[in-house]
Amino acid sequence: MIESIGIVGAGTMGNGIAQVCAAAGLPVVMTDISDAALTRGMSVVSNSLERLVNKQKMTDADRQAALARITTSTDTAKFSTCDLVIEAATENEDLKVKILKDLCAKLQPRALLATNTSSISITKLAAATDRPDRFIGLHFFNPVPLMALLELIRGLQTSDDTHAKAEAFSKRIGKVSITAKNSPGFAVNRILCPMINEAIFALQEGIATAEDLDAGMKLGCNHPIGPLALADMIGLDTMLSVMEVFYEGFNDPKYRPAPLLKEMVAAGHLGRKTGQGFYSYGK
Ligand code: NAD
């Protein structure tokens, strides 16, 4: 049974995961490299819970109780009693390997270890730990408190018991899980990112305008947002690096990034975060 959670990284994903676990009644220890990062992460959680109270989706007493369940520290020794530790630090393979290796010595032997990586091999990260059978990918979606899905990714070494415990954890925190084998992009991004890349090819070939391509997918396929607007939200640099991982990982030209995507990134037009992508967002 998973009754206490550790989270490495208090950024966008880490603080969201902390919030949903705490709101589900689980005590959480969240670490980061600086007190400033932890303070920022906690203020995001606090504001997010406050919004839920304002929308009458949570009582004020439950908000206070959830906040009280989260403790923060820059010291990973605080994970010594956790049943599950989720690594949600910056997306960098060398950094993640180092964090995971350091963590192993701090955890109880039976504790499960997980990563929220979007693109790094679960099998490879598992192999860097002292417990590859008790290691799994827990791929949350952004914003964590709003997105219903939790994608469970089994590395080659992940045991059935670890997978079953991860499924129970997902249910406990109110998420719906799907399970994927370790492979570039896992399941969701494997389908989503080539679809967005194809929309960029279509735009580049002058098949239709950006507005019409997006309207087509919204009105014709019931997508809540068009692929080009979504690319702007994700960030075109992130989109390009995902397609490069697919292209290299599968050795298959069907995953080659659209030349227009490369051009946009080279121009510094990265989407919403720079104010210019397939659409303009002002300053
Ligand atoms: P972020 O930059 O918002 O947060 C990363 C945090 O990790 C920062 O607070 C940073 O200080 C901290 N950190 C760096 N080194 C650390 C260390 N040694 N120990 C502890 N903390 C450390 O990044 P994010 O968007 O939250 O992404 C985190 C992970 O989640 C990545 O692996 C990313 O691929 C994955 N992910 C992101 C999204 C998304 O939409 N942002 C979605 C799914 C998965």
Side-chain angles (χ1 to χ4, degrees):
M1 282 280 276
I2 291 172
E3 293 294 342
S4 57
I5 309 296
I7 299 169
V8 182
T12 309
M13 298 306 286
N15 70 55
I17 299 167
Q19 179 185 325
V20 297
C21 292
L26 295 165
V28 174
V29 177
M30 181 165 67
T31 67
D32 206 301
I33 43 176
S34 68
D35 286 326
L38 290 166
T39 305
R40 266 197 309 275
M42 283 308 293
S43 90
V44 174
V45 174
S46 178
N47 292 337
S48 171
L49 289 171
E50 190 125 11
R51 276 197 301 277
L52 291 176
V53 173
N54 291 340
K55 288 187 193 157
Q56 297 180 342
K57 290 187 172 165
M58 182 182 239
T59 66
D60 195 55
D62 285 346
R63 176 189 68 82
Q64 285 182 30
L67 273 179
R69 283 186 202 106
I70 307 176
T71 50
T72 59
S73 177
T74 51
D75 182 3
T76 52
K78 293 282 190 313
F79 292 142
S80 63
T81 58
C82 291
D83 297 323
L84 165 68
V85 174
I86 305 168
E87 176 280 312
T90 315
E91 186 78 346
N92 174 301
E93 186 171 330
D94 292 342
L95 174 74
K96 287 191 191 286
V97 166
K98 184 177 179 309
I99 289 174
L100 293 169
K101 279 188 187 299
D102 287 348
L103 276 179
C104 290
K106 313 271 175 73
L107 306 183
Q108 38 185 349
R110 63 173 182 80
L112 300 189
L113 198 45
T115 176
N116 184 46
T117 182
S118 309
S119 66
I120 302 167
S121 163
I122 304 303
T123 299
K124 207 166 173 188
L125 291 177
T129 73
D130 63 352
R131 61 195 76 205
D133 58 321
R134 274 158 292 139
F135 190 92
I136 193 162
L138 293 181
H139 188 219
F140 287 85
F141 289 76
N142 184 19
V144 181
L146 297 183
M147 301 299 277
L149 182 66
L150 177 56
E151 196 176 20
L152 312 181
I153 300 104
R154 297 188 67 149
L156 196 65
Q157 319 92 319
T158 306
S159 70
D160 290 343
D161 181 58
T162 298
H163 176 244
K165 284 180 174 145
E167 277 186 321
F169 165 69
S170 173
K171 222 177 249 164
R172 170 84 199 265
I173 60 169
K175 299 294 180 201
V176 178
S177 65
I178 63 164
T179 299
K181 275 195 225 162
N182 182 52
S183 176
F186 314 135
V188 173
N189 286 340
R190 166 78 176 269
I191 299 167
L192 176 70
C193 296
M195 191 268 296
I196 292 174
N197 193 46
E198 199 59 33
I200 303 171
F201 269 113
L203 179 68
Q204 167 189 315
E205 289 167 22
I207 304 291
T209 61
E211 288 79 3
D212 277 5
L213 289 167
D214 277 353
M217 294 307 286
K218 278 162 64 180
L219 304 176
C221 300
N222 251 355
H223 289 194
I225 179 171
L228 298 169
L230 182 56
D232 280 354
M233 258 173 78
I234 293 170
L236 302 191
D237 49 345
T238 304
M239 271 305 307
L240 178 57
S241 77
V242 171
M243 290 313 297
E244 280 167 345
V245 167
F246 285 10
Y247 188 37
E248 282 158 28
F250 292 110
N251 255 318
D252 186 334
K254 83 173 175 183
Y255 295 109
R256 68 200 183 285
L260 176 60
L261 175 60
K262 289 183 170 173
E263 277 290 286
M264 299 281 287
V265 172
H269 295 168
L270 306 183
R272 279 181 187 262
K273 62 183 161 191
T274 60
Q276 181 65 50
F278 296 111
Y279 298 92
S280 293
Y281 300 92
K283 287 245 156 172

